[in-house]
Amino acid sequence: MAASTDISLRQQIIYSVYIRNHTPEGTFRALIPDLPRIRALGTDIIWLMPIHPVGEQGKKGSLGCPYANRDYRSVNPEYGTMDDFRALVSSIHQHGMKCIIDVVYNHTSPDSVLASSRPEFFYRKPDGKMGNKTAEWTDVIDLDYNVPELWDYQMETLKIWAGIVDGFRCDVASCVPVEFWKRARAEVEKIRPGCIWLGETVYTTFNRMNRVFGYYAGTDAEMFEAFDIEYDYDIRESFDKFISGKAPLSLWTELLNHQEVSFPENYIKLRCLENHDRPRAASLFPDDLCLDNAVAMLFFLKGTIMLYAGQEFCCTETPSLFEKDVFPRSGRNISCDLEKMARLRKEYLEEDDYFFASADDENSIAVIIRDNGKNRKIGIFSLKGKEADVNLCFPDGEDVQVKDGCYTDLINGDKVQIHNGALHCSGKPVIISL
């Protein structure tokens, strides 16, 4: 684990913004009036998806993908000027939040500044031409971290931005050598002490594919040497299988428990239901009750929470990365629920809680324990909205005693009964403190 990681990041909530699609104007300054609303959701950190100019050569769609970066050291003129960007960051700080930006260090657009000025920085295919290692990423060319001068350029770039922002979300971080990230972190710390490092560690299957083809693929355990927070893609595929009916819920809950013992004690995973690469939560859980359970469970998990802009309006369509596609605000608005869960999380949960998850596979109900030695919290989440009696007797080795009696549901204030070690779940999410 990164030696200077602040474990309080486990209690933070990140809100992800794609400038192009957040407002009709699609500019830095147009986001500023929305900051109070975003802050009210419980947001601590705003993550701005790539703010840099987008490549033209080989671009996807009419506007191109923000992850096909043309220049690491300037801002996309469609979004505004550098002064506009600084004004946005200043306003984020004034509203009590931090700002992190996306850095895409695995690749650039084919017409990037570096491609023309420093062609030796790039990976070459067997035919000697610049290219990439992931076939579907047709709008980018990969960088070659066997070139020491590339390291220097990238670290200097990070230090420039660290003079403005509070941290970085690092795209496909597992494809860039961990030794680079460790050195970069040390260099940036001189400019921005306490800089936040969020790494997009990739799906297990993606890492396996890269290794099969002989490409670098850092494991989550290795990446934790440099990053404060990592994606939970190491177990996400098991959750996806549950949603699609291909695996029981217990496969995922067992892997949640495995994370507790397979990483350093102060590990931090990013927990989200959706992001710009994935389907919307409201499409994965089209039933309102099921979605309510999934959202409540998200906030009860151990790790940093991430919300993707539009999630609060239960948007069902994932916005295009390549076109102007402002997300609608006309759907079911769960902002109040998100605010409530953020308050509950910060009031009742601790960053160093003991964590254990189990599942009733027959009814697709997750049961999660969090305990800090002072008080014990139990969350019951019916991910398919089913009504059932939930047994709160836990496996051998989990010293959890649940006394019969009447308890208050911390989510809605209702009274719930535990009788003979079981709680009747009505299909709604329940969180109690023992």
Side-chain angles (χ1 to χ4, degrees), residues 246-270:
K246 297 178 181 177
L249 180 60
S250 58
L251 173 63
W252 178 67
T253 56
E254 288 168 7
L255 288 172
L256 279 172
N257 295 333
H258 183 66
Q259 286 182 332
E260 283 285 281
V261 296
S262 60
F263 296 125
E265 190 174 359
N266 60 337
Y267 82 100
I268 308 176
K269 280 289 184 176
L270 185 73

Side-chain angles (χ1 to χ4, degrees), residues 211-262:
R211 290 191 169 192
V212 166
F213 286 104
Y215 304 139
Y216 178 83
T219 66
D220 282 31
E222 291 167 329
M223 289 293 132
F224 265 133
E225 295 178 29
F227 289 95
D228 299 307
I229 311 166
E230 293 183 0
Y231 273 46
D232 68 351
Y233 281 174
D234 55 320
I235 67 171
R236 181 66 192 224
E237 288 166 312
S238 62
F239 190 65
D240 293 341
K241 289 178 180 177
F242 159 70
I243 292 173
S244 63
K246 297 178 181 177
L249 180 60
S250 58
L251 173 63
W252 178 67
T253 56
E254 288 168 7
L255 288 172
L256 279 172
N257 295 333
H258 183 66
Q259 286 182 332
E260 283 285 281
V261 296
S262 60

Side-chain angles (χ1 to χ4, degrees), residues 381-397:
F381 310 102
S382 183
L383 295 179
K384 293 190 177 176
K386 291 185 178 181
E387 182 176 348
D389 289 330
V390 179
N391 191 335
L392 300 183
C393 296
F394 296 93
D396 291 343

